[in-house]
Amino acid sequence: FPLTGERDFIACCQQEMRKLEAFLGKPRLTGREFHAVRKIVSQQVSYYDTLRALAPDDLQARQISRYLAAINGLMGDRHDEMVSGNLAGHSDYNAPAPLDAGIRQRLEQFLERYPLGVRQ
């Protein structure tokens, strides 16, 4: 996705949020889908961390960054459990499983406030 300016960057972020929305529309996610969701969250953490670095007094950027970092941490813990369960033979990493309710709720709240713009 070639980013040639601000509009392209915004469109790219909105596209990622629509992917996240689609994943959250599923009652269960495979390990790969879970990983894809976490990748989207991680990219948003990076974006808001950069905003914080560029504008240290931006309270909104700080709050969103911390909110997303908490989600990313919870997802990291869950991913570790998924991998260790797979390695120990207790669970199949690729088998669809429900997304933790707390993680799902936080992601849904983030999406409710994310400016998705007009759907194309």
Side-chain angles (χ1 to χ4, degrees):
F1 194 95
L3 300 178
T4 59
E6 182 180 359
R7 285 181 139 170
D8 288 341
F9 178 73
I10 290 169
C12 179
C13 290
Q14 289 173 336
Q15 181 180 344
E16 290 298 297
M17 291 304 109
R18 287 188 185 97
K19 288 180 190 175
L20 179 59
E21 192 174 48
F23 282 127
L24 292 179
K26 297 180 172 191
R28 303 165 75 81
L29 299 176
T30 65
R32 284 182 186 255
E33 291 170 330
F34 182 89
H35 183 74
V37 168
R38 185 162 181 232
K39 182 177 176 183
I40 293 168
V41 171
S42 294
Q43 289 169 341
Q44 290 296 303
V45 169
S46 177
Y47 171 73
Y48 283 100
D49 281 351
T50 300
L51 281 181
R52 283 182 33 204
L54 295 173
D57 295 332
D58 186 338
L59 178 62
Q60 184 179 21
R62 187 176 331 123
Q63 289 173 331
I64 295 170
S65 173
R66 293 169 95 182
Y67 185 81
L68 289 167
I71 295 170
N72 197 40
L74 291 169
M75 292 188 79
D77 290 345
R78 177 65 188 121
H79 190 258
D80 290 348
E81 292 170 8
M82 292 166 67
V83 170
S84 65
N86 187 69
L87 291 173
H90 300 295
S91 59
D92 179 1
Y93 181 82
N94 295 312
L99 182 62
D100 175 82
I103 294 171
R104 179 180 291 279
Q105 178 186 14
R106 286 174 172 92
L107 289 171
E108 287 172 347
Q109 288 175 347
F110 178 66
L111 277 174
E112 285 173 11
R113 291 162 180 82
Y114 196 91
L116 283 173
V118 177
R119 292 189 186 273
Q120 298 172 359

